[in-house]
């Protein structure tokens, strides 16, 4: 289910708006954990995300297939973008306490460190399962 969401970085220089999936996903991969200092909680923002304050958005090619973006002023992690289809995986924290979000899935569960765990029952996938799913969608 999609819901309308308006969000912003910590300093407000960058705002994002659009229809997002109400399912929050958690990524435990080592890159996400290094990027945000813990698990990356995000929603699928699709390809039609409206971004204002683009002059403050810094993009970093973190792999052949994806880039990560953050605010140049405050450092807030903004989104992970899949280059192939321009899909934005947006930091859920940018939307504050948005009603209707549910923790739904966790990826790279095999890379999750031992020192934290979510109590919610979710669909869990290893890194290999994630890559296999994307390979079958091509």
């Amino acid at each position: 289910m999609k819901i309308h969401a308006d969000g912003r970085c910590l300093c407000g220089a960058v705002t994002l708006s659009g229809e997002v999936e109400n399912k929050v996903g958690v990524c435990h991969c080592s890159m996400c954990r290094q990027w945000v200092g813990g698990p990356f909680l995000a929603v699928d923002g699709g390809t039609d995300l409206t971004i204002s304050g683009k002059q403050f958005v810094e993009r970093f090619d973190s792999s052949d297939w994806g880039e990560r973006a953050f605010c140049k002023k405050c450092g807030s992690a903004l989104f992970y973008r899949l280059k192939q289809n321009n899909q934005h995986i947006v930091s859920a924290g940018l939307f504050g306490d948005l009603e209707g979000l549910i923790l739904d899935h966790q990826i790279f569960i095999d890379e999750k460190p031992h020192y934290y765990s979510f109590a919610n029952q979710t669909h869990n996938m290893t890194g290999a399962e994630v890559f296999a799913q994307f390979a079958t969608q091509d």
Side-chain angles (χ1 to χ4, degrees):
M1 181 172 90
K2 291 193 174 198
I3 57 176
H4 182 80
D6 294 307
R8 66 183 198 90
C9 66
L10 187 60
C11 71
V14 179
T15 61
L16 302 103
S17 181
E19 299 298 312
V20 302
E21 291 291 331
N22 73 325
K23 297 175 182 176
V24 176
V26 180
C27 184
H28 300 285
C29 81
S30 60
M31 281 196 288
C32 279
R33 287 186 289 112
Q34 190 170 14
W35 182 37
V36 299
F40 181 51
L41 282 76
V43 295
D44 183 347
T47 59
D48 295 324
L49 192 65
T50 300
I51 302 168
S52 299
K54 289 183 181 181
Q55 69 271 27
F56 298 109
V57 176
E58 184 69 34
R59 296 169 185 261
F60 169 72
D61 284 332
S62 58
S63 67
D64 290 341
W65 57 87
E67 70 177 8
R68 296 167 191 272
F70 62 92
C71 174
K72 290 182 198 181
K73 284 184 74 174
C74 67
S76 293
L78 300 172
F79 56 82
Y80 177 86
R81 185 183 71 84
L82 294 167
K83 296 176 186 178
Q84 177 185 2
N85 62 0
N86 199 39
Q87 181 181 7
H88 292 80
I89 308 302
V90 184
S91 178
L94 300 177
F95 301 114
D97 192 17
L98 183 63
E99 289 290 323
L101 295 180
I102 56 169
L103 186 60
D104 178 72
H105 60 282
Q106 298 181 60
I107 61 173
F108 291 90
I109 197 72
D110 52 323
E111 293 187 31
K112 183 186 83 56
H114 71 280
Y115 57 83
Y116 68 80
S117 186
F118 292 98
N120 305 58
Q121 292 295 317
T122 61
H123 176 70
N124 297 336
M125 297 175 71
T126 65
E129 291 170 328
V130 170
F131 286 121
Q133 180 178 324
F134 283 112
T136 59
Q137 291 179 358
D138 291 338

